[in-house]
Amino acid sequence: MIRSHGKFLIPAILPLMSALVPGGAFAATPGCDPSDPSTWSSPTWDPTATIVRTAKIGAGTTIGANSKVAGYARIGVCGTIGDNVTVGYSAKLGDGVTVANGAQLAGRTSVGDGTTIGTGTKLNAHADVGANAQIGSGVTLSYWSSVGDNSTVAPSAVFSGHAVAGNNSTIGAARLGSYVILGDGNSVGDGTLLKAHAKSGLSVTMGQNVTVGRYDTICDNAVIPDGMSLPNNYKYGCY
């Protein structure tokens, strides 16, 4: 009932055939290694999961109860999709991705290899998360926002539309306004607010409860102490 297509398996019917992982638990097939095809096995999913026939599900991937995978979505090998997850139209998930219970990935979102998406997190249309990132629970990534490779985003952080955090970033429970751009290696503390169009250079550190104004520029290696509030159209740490 399933056609092979490289490392992916394409459903031939709707809903897909269903198979429970022993014990009822849904996790990547034990020993499944994305780099070693000899460890791959057929994907498994709960009988209540719904997967549109044009979706592609990688070998060794598991999908939990009441989850939905929309048309033309692609999930790589050795993935774990929890319960009550939505993977939207034409979304693309890499190999070894974990999506926790209740997460919602809208259409045309993308998630890189080895990344974890936390419980109840929402990725709106065209949001992008790089490889080996850790996205906490209850995070919101609005349309066209992105998080770079090897980055960590704390629970409850909010990225407004087109907000970008570069590679190797550590983002606390902060709020990034629309079109905010953070360079690689930034660290942003809990409670910090970056207003629309603010931008930072490389390796910037922002403490807790900082406010960065609209159109502000934070230069490379700057350190903003806890509680500091910057005016709009301001340059900080630029010598």
Side-chain angles (χ1 to χ4, degrees), residues 15-38:
L16 287 165
M17 72 173 191
S18 301
L20 279 170
V21 176
F26 276 80
T29 303
C32 190
D33 181 351
S35 66
D36 184 1
S38 70

mmCIF file of all heavy atoms in Angstrom, residues 15-38:
data_model
loop_
_atom_site.group_PDB
_atom_site.id
_atom_site.type_symbol
_atom_site.label_atom_id
_atom_site.label_comp_id
_atom_site.label_asym_id
_atom_site.label_seq_id
_atom_site.Cartn_x
_atom_site.Cartn_y
_atom_site.Cartn_z
ATOM 1 N N PRO A 15 -6.954 7.220 4.707
ATOM 2 C CA PRO A 15 -5.721 7.448 5.454
ATOM 3 C C PRO A 15 -4.669 6.381 5.204
ATOM 4 O O PRO A 15 -4.960 5.360 4.611
ATOM 5 C CB PRO A 15 -6.180 7.392 6.919
ATOM 6 C CG PRO A 15 -7.336 6.434 6.871
ATOM 7 C CD PRO A 15 -8.041 6.704 5.551
ATOM 8 N N LEU A 16 -3.466 6.639 5.681
ATOM 9 C CA LEU A 16 -2.380 5.678 5.544
ATOM 10 C C LEU A 16 -2.650 4.414 6.349
ATOM 11 O O LEU A 16 -3.411 4.422 7.299
ATOM 12 C CB LEU A 16 -1.086 6.302 6.074
ATOM 13 C CG LEU A 16 -0.419 7.375 5.224
ATOM 14 C CD1 LEU A 16 0.604 8.110 6.071
ATOM 15 C CD2 LEU A 16 0.277 6.759 4.036
ATOM 16 N N MET A 17 -1.946 3.371 5.978
ATOM 17 C CA MET A 17 -1.987 2.197 6.846
ATOM 18 C C MET A 17 -1.474 2.606 8.214
ATOM 19 O O MET A 17 -0.683 3.532 8.343
ATOM 20 C CB MET A 17 -1.135 1.069 6.271
ATOM 21 C CG MET A 17 0.364 1.286 6.358
ATOM 22 S SD MET A 17 1.248 -0.194 5.853
ATOM 23 C CE MET A 17 2.910 0.253 6.372
ATOM 24 N N SER A 18 -1.914 1.969 9.263
ATOM 25 C CA SER A 18 -1.581 2.385 10.613
ATOM 26 C C SER A 18 -0.885 1.268 11.359
ATOM 27 O O SER A 18 -1.207 0.103 11.201
ATOM 28 C CB SER A 18 -2.852 2.790 11.364
ATOM 29 O OG SER A 18 -3.499 3.847 10.688
ATOM 30 N N ALA A 19 0.090 1.667 12.160
ATOM 31 C CA ALA A 19 0.810 0.680 12.960
ATOM 32 C C ALA A 19 1.240 1.321 14.261
ATOM 33 O O ALA A 19 1.811 2.392 14.247
ATOM 34 C CB ALA A 19 2.028 0.156 12.206
ATOM 35 N N LEU A 20 0.965 0.677 15.351
ATOM 36 C CA LEU A 20 1.374 1.178 16.656
ATOM 37 C C LEU A 20 2.791 0.724 16.962
ATOM 38 O O LEU A 20 3.132 -0.438 16.770
ATOM 39 C CB LEU A 20 0.438 0.657 17.747
ATOM 40 C CG LEU A 20 -0.885 1.389 17.933
ATOM 41 C CD1 LEU A 20 -1.758 0.592 18.880
ATOM 42 C CD2 LEU A 20 -0.651 2.785 18.454
ATOM 43 N N VAL A 21 3.594 1.679 17.439
ATOM 44 C CA VAL A 21 4.897 1.300 17.965
ATOM 45 C C VAL A 21 4.662 0.472 19.213
ATOM 46 O O VAL A 21 3.744 0.749 19.989
ATOM 47 C CB VAL A 21 5.704 2.566 18.311
ATOM 48 C CG1 VAL A 21 7.030 2.211 18.959
ATOM 49 C CG2 VAL A 21 5.931 3.394 17.060
ATOM 50 N N PRO A 22 5.440 -0.580 19.440
ATOM 51 C CA PRO A 22 5.231 -1.406 20.625
ATOM 52 C C PRO A 22 5.104 -0.558 21.889
ATOM 53 O O PRO A 22 5.880 0.365 22.123
ATOM 54 C CB PRO A 22 6.490 -2.280 20.642
ATOM 55 C CG PRO A 22 6.872 -2.404 19.208
ATOM 56 C CD PRO A 22 6.540 -1.067 18.596
ATOM 57 N N GLY A 23 4.108 -0.891 22.695
ATOM 58 C CA GLY A 23 3.870 -0.156 23.930
ATOM 59 C C GLY A 23 3.037 1.086 23.743
ATOM 60 O O GLY A 23 2.726 1.776 24.692
ATOM 61 N N GLY A 24 2.679 1.410 22.502
ATOM 62 C CA GLY A 24 1.848 2.567 22.239
ATOM 63 C C GLY A 24 2.608 3.869 22.200
ATOM 64 O O GLY A 24 2.035 4.915 21.945
ATOM 65 N N ALA A 25 3.903 3.849 22.468
ATOM 66 C CA ALA A 25 4.685 5.083 22.471
ATOM 67 C C ALA A 25 5.110 5.433 21.058
ATOM 68 O O ALA A 25 5.389 4.559 20.247
ATOM 69 C CB ALA A 25 5.924 4.908 23.347
ATOM 70 N N PHE A 26 5.159 6.741 20.778
ATOM 71 C CA PHE A 26 5.590 7.170 19.461
ATOM 72 C C PHE A 26 6.890 7.943 19.591
ATOM 73 O O PHE A 26 6.958 9.006 20.183
ATOM 74 C CB PHE A 26 4.504 8.006 18.781
ATOM 75 C CG PHE A 26 3.497 7.132 18.116
ATOM 76 C CD1 PHE A 26 2.497 6.532 18.858
ATOM 77 C CD2 PHE A 26 3.581 6.845 16.772
ATOM 78 C CE1 PHE A 26 1.588 5.678 18.255
ATOM 79 C CE2 PHE A 26 2.679 5.989 16.161
ATOM 80 C CZ PHE A 26 1.677 5.414 16.904
ATOM 81 N N ALA A 27 7.930 7.375 19.048
ATOM 82 C CA ALA A 27 9.260 7.986 19.022
ATOM 83 C C ALA A 27 9.968 7.408 17.822
ATOM 84 O O ALA A 27 9.545 6.402 17.257
ATOM 85 C CB ALA A 27 10.038 7.677 20.310
ATOM 86 N N ALA A 28 11.031 8.081 17.397
ATOM 87 C CA ALA A 28 11.774 7.563 16.248
ATOM 88 C C ALA A 28 12.148 6.104 16.495
ATOM 89 O O ALA A 28 12.437 5.689 17.613
ATOM 90 C CB ALA A 28 13.027 8.395 16.027
ATOM 91 N N THR A 29 12.113 5.322 15.431
ATOM 92 C CA THR A 29 12.448 3.914 15.547
ATOM 93 C C THR A 29 13.769 3.744 16.272
ATOM 94 O O THR A 29 14.761 4.376 15.901
ATOM 95 C CB THR A 29 12.532 3.286 14.148
ATOM 96 O OG1 THR A 29 11.288 3.493 13.480
ATOM 97 C CG2 THR A 29 12.830 1.804 14.240
ATOM 98 N N PRO A 30 13.822 2.923 17.346
ATOM 99 C CA PRO A 30 15.072 2.763 18.095
ATOM 100 C C PRO A 30 16.227 2.392 17.175
ATOM 101 O O PRO A 30 16.106 1.519 16.316
ATOM 102 C CB PRO A 30 14.742 1.623 19.069
ATOM 103 C CG PRO A 30 13.260 1.698 19.242
ATOM 104 C CD PRO A 30 12.717 2.119 17.910
ATOM 105 N N GLY A 31 17.327 3.099 17.344
ATOM 106 C CA GLY A 31 18.507 2.835 16.540
ATOM 107 C C GLY A 31 18.473 3.452 15.160
ATOM 108 O O GLY A 31 19.407 3.271 14.376
ATOM 109 N N CYS A 32 17.422 4.187 14.849
ATOM 110 C CA CYS A 32 17.317 4.811 13.538
ATOM 111 C C CYS A 32 18.350 5.935 13.415
ATOM 112 O O CYS A 32 18.361 6.874 14.210
ATOM 113 C CB CYS A 32 15.904 5.359 13.331
ATOM 114 S SG CYS A 32 15.557 5.893 11.652
ATOM 115 N N ASP A 33 19.213 5.816 12.438
ATOM 116 C CA ASP A 33 20.285 6.779 12.206
ATOM 117 C C ASP A 33 20.099 7.376 10.819
ATOM 118 O O ASP A 33 20.199 6.656 9.819
ATOM 119 C CB ASP A 33 21.636 6.076 12.314
ATOM 120 C CG ASP A 33 22.812 7.014 12.108
ATOM 121 O OD1 ASP A 33 22.603 8.174 11.712
ATOM 122 O OD2 ASP A 33 23.956 6.574 12.336
ATOM 123 N N PRO A 34 19.823 8.695 10.726
ATOM 124 C CA PRO A 34 19.595 9.286 9.406
ATOM 125 C C PRO A 34 20.739 9.082 8.416
ATOM 126 O O PRO A 34 20.508 9.084 7.204
ATOM 127 C CB PRO A 34 19.407 10.773 9.718
ATOM 128 C CG PRO A 34 18.907 10.811 11.121
ATOM 129 C CD PRO A 34 19.621 9.671 11.814
ATOM 130 N N SER A 35 21.937 8.884 8.926
ATOM 131 C CA SER A 35 23.099 8.727 8.045
ATOM 132 C C SER A 35 23.360 7.274 7.647
ATOM 133 O O SER A 35 24.274 7.010 6.857
ATOM 134 C CB SER A 35 24.347 9.305 8.719
ATOM 135 O OG SER A 35 24.700 8.547 9.870
ATOM 136 N N ASP A 36 22.575 6.329 8.192
ATOM 137 C CA ASP A 36 22.825 4.905 7.949
ATOM 138 C C ASP A 36 21.550 4.215 7.473
ATOM 139 O O ASP A 36 20.718 3.797 8.284
ATOM 140 C CB ASP A 36 23.335 4.249 9.230
ATOM 141 C CG ASP A 36 23.706 2.779 9.032
ATOM 142 O OD1 ASP A 36 23.577 2.272 7.901
ATOM 143 O OD2 ASP A 36 24.118 2.142 10.024
ATOM 144 N N PRO A 37 21.372 4.079 6.166
ATOM 145 C CA PRO A 37 20.149 3.475 5.642
ATOM 146 C C PRO A 37 19.874 2.064 6.153
ATOM 147 O O PRO A 37 18.717 1.627 6.150
ATOM 148 C CB PRO A 37 20.382 3.465 4.128
ATOM 149 C CG PRO A 37 21.348 4.582 3.884
ATOM 150 C CD PRO A 37 22.261 4.571 5.080
ATOM 151 N N SER A 38 20.907 1.370 6.607
ATOM 152 C CA SER A 38 20.674 0.013 7.102
ATOM 153 C C SER A 38 19.843 0.005 8.380
ATOM 154 O O SER A 38 19.314 -1.043 8.775
ATOM 155 C CB SER A 38 22.005 -0.709 7.338
ATOM 156 O OG SER A 38 22.700 -0.168 8.454
#
